[in-house]
Amino acid sequence: MRQITLGKEGVEKNIIQTLQEKSGVRLSDCYQCGKCSAGCPVAFAMDLKPRQLIRLLQLEQVDEVLKSKTPWLCATCQCCFVRCPNEIKIPNLMEAVRQEAKARHIIPEKDIDKFNNLFLKNVEQFGRSHETFLMGFYNLTTGHLFQDVGCAPKLYFNKKIRIRPHVVKNKSGVKRLFQKTIEKGAK
Amino acid sequence: MRRIGVFVCHCGSNIAATVDVEKVVEAAKTFPGVVYAADNKYTCSEPGQEAIKKAIAEHNLNRVVICSCSPRMHEATFRKTIADAGLNPYLLEIANIREQVSWVHTDKEKATEKAIDLARIAAAKAAKDEELFTSTIPIEKRALVIGGGIAGMQAALDIADAGLQVTLVEKESSIGGKMVMLDKTFPTLDCSACISTPKMVTLSQHPNIELMTYSEVTHVGGYIGNFEVTIKQKAKFVNHDICTGCGLCETKCPAKVTSEFDQGLGKRPAIHKLFAQAVPNKPVIDKNSCLKLTTGKCGICSKICPVGCIDYEDKDKEVTKKFGAIVLATGYELIDWTKLYGEYGGGRYDNIITGLQFERMVNASGPTDGKIVRPSDGKTPKSVLFIKCVGSRDVNKGKSYCSRACCMYTAKHAHQVLEKIPGAKAYVSYMDVRTPGKGYDEFYMRTLEDGAVYVRGRISKIYPEGEKLISLGEDTLSNSNVTLETDLVVLETAMVPNPSAEKTAAMIGVGRDKDGWLQEAHPKLRPVETNTGGVFLAGTCQGPKDIPDTVAQASAAAAKVIGLLYKDELETNPMISKVDPQKCAGCGFCIEVCPYGAIELVDFPDRYQGKKIMRKVAQVNGGLCQGCGACTVSCKPGAIDLLGFTNLQILEEVDALCR
């Protein structure tokens, strides 16, 4: 059973504030109806359901939330948000929690984090995702060398993946986009 | 020659699904005296009533039996129907084959059999029905309102504005009730005093309103239209005719006692006004704490009073007045949690207060001038926990009902803590949040936005630790046990009926429910009437409610009073007891059993052994008699008959059932 103490001085109120500002979510808007969790396609794998994650933030239980796998498992499918009666942008909140956790080097789902990084690198380099590289590097960096390798020939002959990257026309434009975003984030 | 018509109603499928209506009709045709029987889908509908009228004319019927719902539902409707057809309205009998048959039975065959029995009984009784005629009694065009809170004030003002005379009786020295104790009112947060004190002033200056403060009703006699009420005016020891209300006496009075108005948080002198804006704005002396009245030594107020209005010899006075209608607005009190909740300290910890104490504290004219402080050390609390449903929804320790207003005023209290104390934390322990009102849920959501943290679960124990109070609870939403460390705890306690209501209700003959709230005649369709004619309910005496609902109900009660008092005369119920003086032995037993005091012994000229004598016999006052029939069964010689339910008719019914 989780034990929570409320009313103590010096709780990390500013983290809650940062999360709210970054995500544009007002935590008090949530009245815990549970519609988000009921419709979430990955809720079965989550340690905290989206509703529980918000509840713990309402009770200022930041540590447990930052350690949770939930924000990493969130597929950002937006199903929760479009159905939420209070229009709470839960995927934005998940992203904010993920960033906050990463800043503190709390990464409960390391493979997912690696995949995210590889994916972004990929897009930065080629202007779009190159699946072969992504799959290859993902297997190499995570150490799951032969994960899904059996699918590769079938994908190749069905022309779903190719050896050479398909580069977009304005590659430098995408790079600039990345730069600007990073600059903005640094501010 | 009796010509009885029987009309059997299907009531859609309400009756027809369980009772074979055709069979009942066929059976009814064989009853003695019945010359016509028919069925109808909806007898109470326009075509149904027309069918009855047509049958009366065509078959020359002179008694009518209707097999339908309870007479409480449609007896008045059908009396009017047969009266329209030219019959005396009391030549009607109703067999209740819905509530007493179809709704409570499932076996169609047996239900039909029972319906036929009931119809036969009704037909036998109808055969002995006699014509009855109503009479009229004059109405006293003056209303009595008992209780001077917001409900009583609203009712009195509405009745007075309609041009009728009103007397308002209030037991405290000022009108205003609980509402003037409050600081702000939800959901608009207008200041309670700012919206209630103008009403108090209007009321005191209204030409049609007689205000009797510091008074109590001690006896109620009479009946609808003609109540006789005795009101005790408690000794004020201050002559209000000369007193200017300067307040000098209050400043010099040496006797200081705990202020009831401030919920024990402040002190008041023995000679005091209830509060600064009291109406009437003149003091009274509390005889239990005045030094002059208790010990005989003091008399300062008398010496310094510039107009000499202090009178230590003042005595309680009693006046008797006549009223046509009574509005009960006796209000509520808060449950005494200290006797019930040992786990919350049972009153041992200073920093656990009630919601009403919090109201007094946060009120600018309260004992702390509007500052929220800890009663133990006067420090401003940095964190406050509000606990809802203390005494409400708690069958074990308190009451089973929801007190209705607490969810909203708790949200208001939490908002006030966050607004008045910068950086403070407000926690609310709750089970549900019930906000069914205009703008209510929005108000609650705003409190959450302000930063109030709601923890879903009841607090199981509170104990002090250092300067803090530790409350143990659960948050069922996050499935965690929660420990709350707060500086102040506010218990939002249950509303209970004002203890004085019990006596008043018993005097007037108004019923009370299992929790002591005054009983309305019908929870949906007659919410402000009582089962005693001419007595109406307003506000929280009927059940817990908030200010908007209280005001609405008070105006509704006023409308009923106006409707009653605007008539010049009242039709009486002719179904009352009648004494046959020849048979009456004058034992007076009926007088003892009559709950309405409607029977008295009078002289009756008689002959005994050839000589003229006067002897005592019982006589019924038609205005007071409610037709309950208690006297008829108590009468040993069988001299009393209840018209419409005569002994002969009852016997005929029994005969019909045994046939």
Side-chain angles (χ1 to χ4, degrees), chain A residues 1-9 11 26 28-29 31-32 51-52 55-56 58-60 86, chain B residues 382-383 425 427 445 448-449 453-456 468 474-475 477-485:
Chain A
M1 175 66 93
R2 186 186 292 111
Q3 178 66 45
I4 293 175
T5 303
L6 294 175
K8 273 221 164 98
E9 310 288 328
V11 179
R26 194 162 60 196
S28 67
D29 283 350
Y31 53 40
Q32 296 281 300
R51 174 190 69 77
Q52 291 172 314
R55 181 63 187 157
L56 288 177
Q58 286 176 339
L59 297 175
E60 299 175 356
N86 289 324
Chain B
K382 282 271 150 215
S383 51
K425 286 173 180 161
Y427 299 102
M445 291 308 278
L448 289 180
E449 224 174 276
V453 175
Y454 275 60
V455 180
R456 192 177 180 283
K468 296 254 182 187
E474 193 197 345
D475 179 52
L477 291 173
S478 62
N479 193 23
S480 351
N481 269 10
V482 176
T483 308
L484 288 128
E485 301 180 10

Side-chain angles (χ1 to χ4, degrees), chain B residues 477-496:
Chain B
L477 291 173
S478 62
N479 193 23
S480 351
N481 269 10
V482 176
T483 308
L484 288 128
E485 301 180 10
T486 54
D487 297 324
L488 185 69
V489 173
V490 182
L491 306 180
E492 311 292 24
T493 43
M495 288 189 201
V496 291

Side-chain angles (χ1 to χ4, degrees), chain B residues 147 170-172 177-178 329-334 495-505 512 515-518 540-542:
Chain B
E170 165 59 50
K171 69 177 186 309
E172 300 293 339
K178 290 279 185 299
T330 47
Y332 73 97
E333 278 298 330
L334 291 178
M495 288 189 201
V496 291
N498 192 311
S500 69
E502 183 180 352
K503 218 175 76 196
T504 315
R512 301 190 313 141
D515 295 306
W517 302 106
L518 303 186
T540 49
C541 64
Q542 180 259 342

Side-chain angles (χ1 to χ4, degrees), chain B residues 38 115 131 194 271 284 359 395 398 417 452 455 485 498 514 547 593:
Chain B
E131 293 193 342
C194 313
I271 182 163
V284 295
E359 289 284 353
V395 181
V417 164
V455 180
E485 301 180 10
N498 192 311
K514 69 177 184 11
I547 294 169
V593 298

Side-chain angles (χ1 to χ4, degrees), chain B residues 79 85 103 155-156 282 301 389 429 435 515 519 559:
Chain B
R79 274 186 183 160
W103 279 1
K282 290 167 186 179
C301 50
C389 294
S429 150
T435 51
D515 295 306
Q519 189 73 53

Side-chain angles (χ1 to χ4, degrees), chain A residues 122 126 128-133 156 160-167:
Chain A
N122 233 315
F126 306 114
R128 57 170 291 179
S129 168
H130 178 40
E131 283 85 2
T132 321
F133 273 31
Y156 180 76
K160 295 290 174 196
I161 53 170
R162 45 170 107 195
I163 305 287
R164 284 193 183 188
H166 183 285
V167 182

